[in-house]
Amino acid sequence: MATGMIGMQWIIFIGIAVVSWLVQMNLQNKFKKYSKIPTGNGMTGADVALKMLHDNGIYDVTVTHTPGHLTDHYNPANKTVNLSEGVYSSDSIMAAAVAAHECGHAVQHARAYAPLTMRSKLVPVVSFASNIMTWILLAGILMLNTFPQLLLAGIILFAMTTLFSFITLPVEINASKRALVWLSSSGITNSRNHAQAEDALRSAAYTYVVAALGSLATLIYYIMIFLGRRE
């Protein structure tokens, strides 16, 4: 029974890995597609970010650029909106959507949005867990019959990262909602291109959903190994 369940978990895990790859490819394609479509107002991603921040009464957040592709993020520790090189200076609909999304996190921070606050508090714990859990899980599996508590400790650490993944979902979805509402109300997007901005952010959100499901599937896999140790 346990062997069959673990086999099923492997099938689910592989399935999620394939879906994750497809979602990433879809996001890359959407990025390329919408990066070629200008908003029509000449505003770069940096311009959009500054305007959204100021429209929300936020003046203590710095907009800067960061190396890489799809590396855009908001850092609540130093209050910076970090835009990738392809977003910071681009006037495309994709740049506007991504910049507004990251500023959505800054608005969440300013408004003390509960899921973001919870996620921020978990960052040190998850960072610590991520650094050691792989080795603890590996050692726990090797010593399963003699020291099962080690695998249990690894499972608890992994559960923290899974919880982090699921808390991330409402944070990302809410940031996109804030971005889309503002893009429309501010006139950055219009009836011709708003759906494209929405499609771009929806594609990005799918990556977080798949990551959370993948983490959950992996967690269940380790739990099944632990529960089946005596069978």
Side-chain angles (χ1 to χ4, degrees):
M1 179 66 72
T3 302
M5 292 186 71
I6 291 176
M8 181 60 67
Q9 283 302 126
W10 268 110
I11 293 174
I12 294 174
F13 184 77
I14 293 173
I16 290 178
V18 172
V19 171
S20 178
W21 180 81
L22 292 174
V23 168
Q24 287 289 344
M25 291 300 100
N26 178 61
L27 178 60
Q28 293 283 352
N29 291 334
K30 291 290 174 67
F31 191 94
K32 291 179 182 179
K33 177 182 178 180
Y34 296 138
S35 291
K36 298 176 181 178
I37 303 175
T39 57
N41 54 31
M43 295 180 67
T44 65
D47 295 331
V48 170
L50 283 173
K51 179 172 173 54
M52 182 171 175
L53 291 172
H54 294 171
D55 283 357
N56 282 275
I58 300 173
Y59 295 92
D60 60 345
V61 171
T62 302
V63 177
T64 185
H65 57 83
T66 184
H69 178 61
L70 294 176
T71 52
D72 311 86
H73 65 281
Y74 170 67
N75 187 340
N78 59 10
K79 292 189 175 183
T80 56
V81 171
N82 302 271
L83 303 178
S84 61
E85 296 168 347
V87 170
Y88 186 87
S89 58
S90 171
D91 66 346
S92 68
I93 191 65
M94 188 70 181
V98 171
H101 172 86
E102 297 308 332
C103 287
H105 290 310
V107 175
Q108 290 174 336
H109 191 195
R111 306 288 189 271
Y113 180 60
L116 178 66
T117 301
M118 187 181 303
R119 187 177 73 166
S120 297
K121 290 181 178 178
L122 281 175
V123 167
V125 178
V126 172
S127 179
F128 170 77
S130 299
N131 289 331
I132 65 172
M133 70 180 182
T134 300
W135 300 107
I136 292 179
L137 286 168
L138 178 60
I141 291 174
L142 294 175
M143 303 175 63
L144 183 60
N145 294 322
T146 57
F147 189 28
Q149 294 84 358
L150 188 59
L151 178 57
L152 181 59
I155 289 172
I156 292 173
L157 291 174
F158 196 94
M160 295 302 298
T161 65
T162 300
L163 175 63
F164 185 83
S165 295
F166 276 91
I167 291 176
T168 294
L169 291 180
V171 173
E172 297 299 329
I173 292 172
N174 179 266
S176 289
K177 287 182 178 179
R178 291 175 188 266
L180 289 169
V181 169
W182 177 82
L183 285 169
S184 179
S185 64
S186 64
I188 302 297
T189 58
N190 51 47
S191 58
R192 292 180 292 100
N193 56 26
H194 187 76
Q196 296 168 339
E198 187 173 3
D199 186 37
L201 293 182
R202 185 187 305 114
S203 297
Y206 288 154
T207 64
Y208 294 100
V209 173
V210 173
L213 292 176
S215 183
L216 179 61
T218 305
L219 175 63
I220 294 174
Y221 171 70
Y222 286 124
I223 291 174
M224 293 308 303
I225 292 178
F226 179 77
L227 294 178
R229 68 189 186 281
R230 294 191 179 92
E231 299 183 19

